[in-house]
Amino acid sequence: MMKPLGGRLSAMVGAAAVAAALMFGSLEAQAQNKVRIALGDVLSTETLAMVIALERAKEKGVDYQVTHFSKEDLAIQAVINGQADLGIGTPYAVVQKSKAPLRVLFQGTRLVFFPVADKSYKSWKDMNGQPITFHARATGTEAIGNIIAKREGIQFGERSYVPGSENRIIGMMKGQIKATVVDLANKNLLLEKAGDRFHVLPGVSEPASDETLFGQIEWIKKNEKQVDVIVTEFLRLWQEMAANPAVVEQERAKRKLMADQPKEVLEGITKFYTMATKEGVYAPTGGNAEIAKADFEFYTEAGQMQGPVAELKVEDFWYLAPLERARKALGS
């Protein structure tokens, strides 16, 4: 955003400068009216549905601006600092540790991720003391790793962090990464291109929330109408996806999103969403108290939240009112 004009307008500037100042004020007001979204990821096949939901909200009168961050914790911090109004990520640990007034509004994706490893590691026991790579510290991929290590009675060696499943897959293909946790699309891509070198190890059977839509509770309540439109469009699209996964590609083509991506990436979008909805990555409910409690159990077991789980209150982490209104509006 441009900085306010400084100094006193000279009489020599006259009417032209006054007009320019008025125009600047109008542009600044328009920018302030945009809902600022912090996303700890790039626009990709996996995040495409979220951007489409935001585009639909824009058509309903709620303009937005997305800022992409290299790490999820940076996106969360942007919301805490007031640099963004809403964020997409998993803020549970931050909320508990810092008492930040963030509340989850919608469960965007679930942690349907897959541990993949070089075939020299035949089982998790072979991974004891060995290096492993995750998306970022204290994120869902590391939570899965923590739960598996606890379940298998092993300890990983050096932990590295490389944001983006596609980047970790590239690292595996180049021999730089021997074991990691990746999303559905990139797991399939790895096995398709190098199934002779890599395989999938047993993962976690009950996936928790991965990417959620969240914001500061004070901002949410002050901007109730805008929030309701956004949450309703997320829920509407998620329900449409469950019935017809091809809707994502139809909406992408209509809006010319990801137009710079290779043809093979675009051709794989419907296939990805067909598999992803079937696997439960994009659960159509959007969230509820039971889902929140299941998340508490998962992240507590993963060591990212402190229990006991029974003492964690849903209302300290979620604000369900907009989602409940969205369900009513959509008759679901």
Side-chain angles (χ1 to χ4, degrees), residues 39-108:
L39 174 60
D41 207 341
V42 297
L43 175 57
S44 63
T45 298
E46 186 180 359
T47 58
L48 176 60
M50 300 175 192
V51 175
I52 289 172
L54 291 170
E55 283 290 298
R56 285 180 164 190
K58 185 176 181 179
E59 290 165 1
K60 298 287 198 305
V62 180
D63 202 357
Y64 75 96
Q65 176 181 323
V66 172
T67 300
H68 298 274
F69 292 86
S70 60
K71 296 180 181 179
E72 184 179 297
D73 55 349
L74 295 178
I76 294 172
Q77 199 60 45
V79 180
I80 293 174
N81 293 341
Q83 297 165 319
D85 304 311
L86 297 174
I88 295 174
T90 317
Y92 285 125
V94 173
V95 172
Q96 187 178 46
K97 290 174 183 175
S98 69
K99 305 299 181 186
L102 305 179
R103 296 295 182 271
V104 174
L105 296 163
F106 189 88
Q107 182 193 52

Side-chain angles (χ1 to χ4, degrees), residues 248-283:
V248 178
E249 169 56 17
Q250 293 165 8
E251 293 288 303
R252 182 210 64 79
K254 175 182 173 183
R255 294 171 172 80
K256 297 181 173 60
L257 297 169
M258 293 176 61
D260 59 340
Q261 291 297 305
K263 182 180 178 182
E264 55 267 27
V265 171
L266 301 181
E267 288 176 346
I269 288 174
T270 297
K271 181 180 178 181
F272 169 78
Y273 278 93
T274 300
M275 290 187 294
T277 51
K278 181 181 178 182
E279 294 280 354
V281 176
Y282 301 87

Side-chain angles (χ1 to χ4, degrees), residues 108-136:
T109 60
R110 301 199 304 163
L111 278 167
V112 181
F113 276 65
F114 301 84
V116 290
D118 187 283
K119 283 188 174 179
S120 61
Y121 302 126
K122 295 184 173 65
S123 71
W124 282 114
K125 298 299 181 186
D126 295 329
M127 282 293 300
N128 190 38
Q130 297 301 308
I132 189 167
T133 303
F134 298 112
H135 173 76

